[in-house]
């Protein structure tokens, strides 16, 4: 409890802080080192040096810091004495950390697993180096806020979070009603009290009060208390701040006010800033009896308002989309830099599917795998930053993000191959992976089959996830290639090649894979081509579980899709574009903002299809449509009723008019009445209603841009009879603007800056294009419709298909083979002993101390399936112990970033009162042998093992 806090007056919590973007106008390293100050005057190293000096000199001063991606760089430069001093400052609660992810992540454009991993990276560092465990969220700069963020923060053990952006109309209403602080209850039906979190919206952005920034770059007048000087101003300046504080108090409910003093990269001259704050605090406390100013932190503030015992307003919906003006919807960045968004999601897939092999290699063989894992883990934390994956950085910074992510991926993938060889006892030599999940053969080891001296290569298909029946897809250079299994039997496979020949092909074949198994194959050259011969008149293609036909490509593409035994249904598909608003007057469309040239603009045709090929295979049926700007492949297979739409957008042509390109899908059988559903960071589906907000009156000024939402998983529309679901492979902006229609924005190109700070147009170009064509992008969308009376198993649920996108099969290629290998378990023994229900997704991450961090999630959503699951986590841990010849010491549940065990969690969580009702205390106790997972519930555990590893044991 703050000894200076008084109950009868306004207590002003002066919170010095800096907001340090982990890349934006400069690269992260440029920001840290203070390089390229011609772009922006900022150097994080000097900020932290100055803060250390000031805090060490004056025990009254306090400071709050956030970004661990920067702090760890500074920390490892310091001497043992400085580190000891910093630990003392932390113990004295004068240096406090809030949020403490590797970066302050975006919310619109991150997947929940990457959000959690970013926080875990920072929390692991703080806990390891300083024994510090933050319980305050601090998302002061992201451009809108998801329900998932609030829920995930709450289940990390956070008691409150702070931010500074919300729709201006929503903020106006909250200002008038004293509702800038509330209890957020996200996913309330699914998670209940566990997800409740106290929420604080800042009054004046996250900046110092107007006129009171004392940063060395500021033009605000300093505090001058020397009456001998003509510039003496302290009486006038104190009166100005007093008026501001009185006004501020009209909008908050307690007699405690948090007043931030800081901004982007502030305190490079910390002595200067604190000198002025000292003068101001001393004078006001002496001359104003109704205020009490003191240095504070968000922790002290939250403690004070909690003790005030107030009943707080409550909120259940989210804060998207964000607008800071009538025409200023921040919905463009949902799609900006679409290729970088796709690359980040691809790296996420690698990290989460391959990390278990690194962890088991460390356990079984004592191998030092953690450095490569940590390199990618931390670099992914950098990419989650709200000016990184958001696509709102300068172009040279985007290049740097891609370069550093590539470097981390190369190291991690090589470590994966080394670990896989040992852990899975692979008989293959010369192991290699494709460079990307959506590679052509040129980026894959299969390119070797173009070499006349190479007759065969080897393949292991690895299933790190649940039992699955799926279709494998690998790129091959030509069609004269056959596939053989480990028994030597030829496998039926479909080969579909590029138009006009039998080169540049893909091979499709069915895979039945149990949890943690691998299947061995040989790819062998043959004399004859085995390509599926296309036709130019499709008729009806039989994809096993459904039929496909294209009946028109004139204007809208008309697809007719029928499930077996049912009449065909028409889906209209096309690629359209909105003209960007780019006039001198008014808000322009750019990296952040999406604004069509007219508020209710109807999109125009971007692409015209001129021909198509139809391929009828044994396992897949595919329509490939050729247009002037797009090549689209529409594929069905026998194992799912989803149709896979792959879009190869060749790039937006150079012109004088900005274009925002959408994939538009229309299904006339559904009348959804303006209601649609979008996910929250890949988690629970949120109900959306056109031109409506649940808790405040929307003035509709931008009926297109104002109805766009961020999507990481997909969009659903439905009526009483039917449902249409469309899933996506990366974060995009999407909406349903007409009955029966869903549109995803797939690429953007603008020629004017939108005046939100980046200072550049969003104009990514293809460096290999002679005509200035924009950067191309290849995306996937999975579509299906169904009658609402149909019953679906978990494996028919949209969430199951999303897992197919998020946790793909791993294809490990080899140039040699040392022995005959049967299809078999990866880690020895059988996994039937613990069983992983279809609806449960598991991720395993190695820990620096040799333990294993395990995350389990029920992937289902109450919108479509309310099935709960129970798993025996202890049995999972015992299986891993046996497979790695370790002894299991303990299994215990932890918060979702690993900060607290459940007993600690029950102690740190604060109890809040709501105006509508007060939630009961959640039960944090757990028995790892019987862990219940309701839909959307995520629970995390730590497995600790003995350290005496012997030879690794596995079956042959």
């Amino acid at each position: 409890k703050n000894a200076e806090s008084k109950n009868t007056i306004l207590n002003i919590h002066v919170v010095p802080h800096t907001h340090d973007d982990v890349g934006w106008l400069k690269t992260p390293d440029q920001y840290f080192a203070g390089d390229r100050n011609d772009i922006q005057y900022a150097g994080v190293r000097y900020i932290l040096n100055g803060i250390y000096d000031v805090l060490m000199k004056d025990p009254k001063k306090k400071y709050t810091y956030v970004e661990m991606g920067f702090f760890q760089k500074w920390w490892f430069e310091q001497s043992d004495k400085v580190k000891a001093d910093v630990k003392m400052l932390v113990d004295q609660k004068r240096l406090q950390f809030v949020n403490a992810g590797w970066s302050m992540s975006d919310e619109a454009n991150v997947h929940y697993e990457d959000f959690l991993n970013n926080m875990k990276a920072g929390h692991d560092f703080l806990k390891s180096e300083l024994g510090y465990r933050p319980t305050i969220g601090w998302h002061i700069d992201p451009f809108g806020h998801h329900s998932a963020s609030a829920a995930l923060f709450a289940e990390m053990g956070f008691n409150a979070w702070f931010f500074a952006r919300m729709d201006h109309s929503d903020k106006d209403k909250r200002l008038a009603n004293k509702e800038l602080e509330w209890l957020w209850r996200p996913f309330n039906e699914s998670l209940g009290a566990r997800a409740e979190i106290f929420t604080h919206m800042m009054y004046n952005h996250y900046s110092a009060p107007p006129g009171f920034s004392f940063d060395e770059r500021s033009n605000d007048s300093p505090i001058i208390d020397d009456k001998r000087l003509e510039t003496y101003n302290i009486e006038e300046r104190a009166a100005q701040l007093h008026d501001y504080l009185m006004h501020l108090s009209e909008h908050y409910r307690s007699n405690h006010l948090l007043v931030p003093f800081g901004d982007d990269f502030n305190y490079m001259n910390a002595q200067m800033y604190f000198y002025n704050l000292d003068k101001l605090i001393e004078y006001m406390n002496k001359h104003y009896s109704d205020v009490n100013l003191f240095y504070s932190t968000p922790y002290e503030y939250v403690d004070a308002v909690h003790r005030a015992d107030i009943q707080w307003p409550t909120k259940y919906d989210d804060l998207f989309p964000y607008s800071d003006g009538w025409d200023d919807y921040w919905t463009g960045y949902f799609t900006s830099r679409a290729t970088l968004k796709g690359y980040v999601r691809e790296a996420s897939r690698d990290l989460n599917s391959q990390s278990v092999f690194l962890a088991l290699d460390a356990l079984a063989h004592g191998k030092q795998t953690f450095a490569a894992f940590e390199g990618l883990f931390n670099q992914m934390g950098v990419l989650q930053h709200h000016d990184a994956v958001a696509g709102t950085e300068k172009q040279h910074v985007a290049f740097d993000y891609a370069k550093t992510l590539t470097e981390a991926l190369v190291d991690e993938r090589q470590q994966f191959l080394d670990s896989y060889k040992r852990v899975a006892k692979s008989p293959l030599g010369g192991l290699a992976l494709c460079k990307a999940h959506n590679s052509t053969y040129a980026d894959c080891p299969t390119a070797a089959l173009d070499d006349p001296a190479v007759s065969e290569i080897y393949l292991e298909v690895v299933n790190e996830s649940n039992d699955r029946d799926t279709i494998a897809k690998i790129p091959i250079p030509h069609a004269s290639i056959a596939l053989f299994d480990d028994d030597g039997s030829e496998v039926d496979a479909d080969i579909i090649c590029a138009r006009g020949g039998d080169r540049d092909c893909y091979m499709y074949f069915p895979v039945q894979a149990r949890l943690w198994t691998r299947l061995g194959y040989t790819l062998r050259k043959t004399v004859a081509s085995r390509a599926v011969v296309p036709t130019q008149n499709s008729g009806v293609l039989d994809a096993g579980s459904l039929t496909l036909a294209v009946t028109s490509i004139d204007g809208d593409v008309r697809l007719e899709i029928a499930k077996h035994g049912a009449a065909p249904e028409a889906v209209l598909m096309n690629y359209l574009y909105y003209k960007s608003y780019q006039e001198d007057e008014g808000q322009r469309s750019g990296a952040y903002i999406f604004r069509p040239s007219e508020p209710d603009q109807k999109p125009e045709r971007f692409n015209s299809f001129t021909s198509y090929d139809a391929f009828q295979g044994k396992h897949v049926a595919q329509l490939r449509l050729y247009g002037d700007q797009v090549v689209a492949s529409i594929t069905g297979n026998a194992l799912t009723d989803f149709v896979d739409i792959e879009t190869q957008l060749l790039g937006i042509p150079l012109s004088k008019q900005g274009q925002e390109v959408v994939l538009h899908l229309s299904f006339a059988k559904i009348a959804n009445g303006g209601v649609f559903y979008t996910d929250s960071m890949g988690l629970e589906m949120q109900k959306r209603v056109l031109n409506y907000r649940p808790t405040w009156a929307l003035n509709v000024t931008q009926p297109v841009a104002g109805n766009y939402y961020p999507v990481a998983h997909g969009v659903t529309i439905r009526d009483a009879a039917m449902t249409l679901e469309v899933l996506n492979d990366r974060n995009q902006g999407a909406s349903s603007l007409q009955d029966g229609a869903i549109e995803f924005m797939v690429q953007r190109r603008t020629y004017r800056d939108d005046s939100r700070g980046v200072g550049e147009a969003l104009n990514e170009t293809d460096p290999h294009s002679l005509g200035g064509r924009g950067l191309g992008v290849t995306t996937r969308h999975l579509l299906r419709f169904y009658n609402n009376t149909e019953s679906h198993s978990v494996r028919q649920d949209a969430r199951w298909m999303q897992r197919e996108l998020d946790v793909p099969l791993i294809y490990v290629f080899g140039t040699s083979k040392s022995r005959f290998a049967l299809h078999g378990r990866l880690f020895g023994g059988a996994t039937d002993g613990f069983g992983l229900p279809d609806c449960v997704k598991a991720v395993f991450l190695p820990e620096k101390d040799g333990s294993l961090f395990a995350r389990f999630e029920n992937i289902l959503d109450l919108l479509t399936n309310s099935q709960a699951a129970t798993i025996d986590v202890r049995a999972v841990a015992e299986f891993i112990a046996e497979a790695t010849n370790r002894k299991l010491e303990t299994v215990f549940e932890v918060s979702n970033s690993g900060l607290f065990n459940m007993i600690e969690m029950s102690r740190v969580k604060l109890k809040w009162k709501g105006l509508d009702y007060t939630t009961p205390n959640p039960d944090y106790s757990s028995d790892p042998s019987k862990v219940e997972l309701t839909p959307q519930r995520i629970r995390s555990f730590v497995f600790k093992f003995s350290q005496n590893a012997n030879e690794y044991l596995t079956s042959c």
Side-chain angles (χ1 to χ4, degrees), residues 75 77-84:
W75 175 259
E77 290 182 344
Q78 305 311 309
S79 66
D80 290 343
K81 179 186 182 305
V82 171
K83 289 181 178 179

Side-chain angles (χ1 to χ4, degrees), residues 777-834:
V777 62
T778 300
T779 68
R780 289 177 66 197
H781 294 85
L782 304 181
L783 172 151
R784 77 156 174 189
F785 55 83
Y786 56 86
N787 191 303
N788 292 342
T789 60
E790 295 178 26
S791 60
H792 290 130
S793 69
V794 171
R795 295 193 182 195
Q796 295 171 312
D797 194 270
R799 292 291 178 170
W800 175 271
M801 287 306 299
Q802 186 63 48
R803 181 165 53 190
E804 290 285 291
L805 287 172
D806 289 343
V807 191
L809 295 169
I810 303 172
Y811 301 107
V812 179
F813 296 90
T815 57
S816 63
K817 190 173 182 180
S818 63
R819 61 184 174 86
F820 188 79
L822 296 174
H823 302 187
R825 300 288 178 185
L826 285 170
F827 311 132
T831 52
D832 298 342
F834 61 83

Side-chain angles (χ1 to χ4, degrees), residues 358 371-373 375-376 406-416:
L358 276 62
F373 166 79
L376 180 56
T406 298
E407 291 167 350
L409 267 172
V410 167
D411 289 346
E412 186 277 335
R413 285 172 171 170
Q414 185 57 56
Q415 182 61 67
F416 160 72

Side-chain angles (χ1 to χ4, degrees), residues 203-246:
Y203 177 75
N204 180 46
H205 200 49
Y206 50 83
S207 308
F212 289 88
S213 171
F214 304 119
D215 190 69
E216 63 182 354
R217 296 167 298 169
S218 173
N219 293 321
D220 294 348
S221 297
I223 303 301
I224 304 171
D225 63 349
D226 188 344
K227 292 185 177 180
R228 297 173 298 172
L229 302 179
E230 291 183 2
T231 52
Y232 174 80
N233 66 4
I234 193 167
E235 294 179 30
E236 175 188 0
R237 301 283 275 133
Q240 291 171 353
L241 183 59
H242 184 266
D243 288 347
Y244 176 84
L245 297 175
M246 293 301 105

Side-chain angles (χ1 to χ4, degrees), residues 157-292:
F158 282 12
N159 285 310
W161 70 320
F162 294 73
F163 50 73
R165 298 185 190 271
M166 69 189 312
D167 189 282
H168 64 105
S169 296
D170 192 4
K171 184 177 180 180
D172 288 345
K173 179 183 176 184
R174 290 183 175 277
L175 283 166
N177 296 336
K178 282 194 171 185
E179 292 184 346
L180 289 176
E181 293 176 318
W182 66 88
L183 299 185
W184 197 336
R185 293 172 175 163
F187 305 166
N188 193 247
E189 188 176 353
S190 299
L191 300 181
R194 294 179 179 277
E196 180 179 274
I197 189 168
F198 180 78
T199 304
H200 176 103
M201 170 67 189
M202 293 181 175
Y203 177 75
N204 180 46
H205 200 49
Y206 50 83
S207 308
F212 289 88
S213 171
F214 304 119
D215 190 69
E216 63 182 354
R217 296 167 298 169
S218 173
N219 293 321
D220 294 348
S221 297
I223 303 301
I224 304 171
D225 63 349
D226 188 344
K227 292 185 177 180
R228 297 173 298 172
L229 302 179
E230 291 183 2
T231 52
Y232 174 80
N233 66 4
I234 193 167
E235 294 179 30
E236 175 188 0
R237 301 283 275 133
Q240 291 171 353
L241 183 59
H242 184 266
D243 288 347
Y244 176 84
L245 297 175
M246 293 301 105
H247 181 68
L248 187 64
S249 69
E250 297 172 0
H251 303 292
Y252 291 90
R253 299 194 176 203
S254 81
N255 67 325
H256 290 265
L257 298 177
L258 183 144
V259 182
F261 280 86
D263 214 305
D264 293 3
F265 299 99
N266 274 201
Y267 292 85
M268 280 185 68
N269 189 335
Q271 183 178 2
M272 176 180 175
Y273 210 128
F274 274 106
Y275 176 88
N276 285 275
L277 287 177
D278 284 345
K279 294 289 186 181
L280 195 58
I281 291 170
E282 181 182 8
Y283 184 89
M284 293 195 69
N285 284 342
K286 184 176 181 180
H287 292 87
Y288 290 91
S289 60
D290 55 352
V291 294
N292 173 38

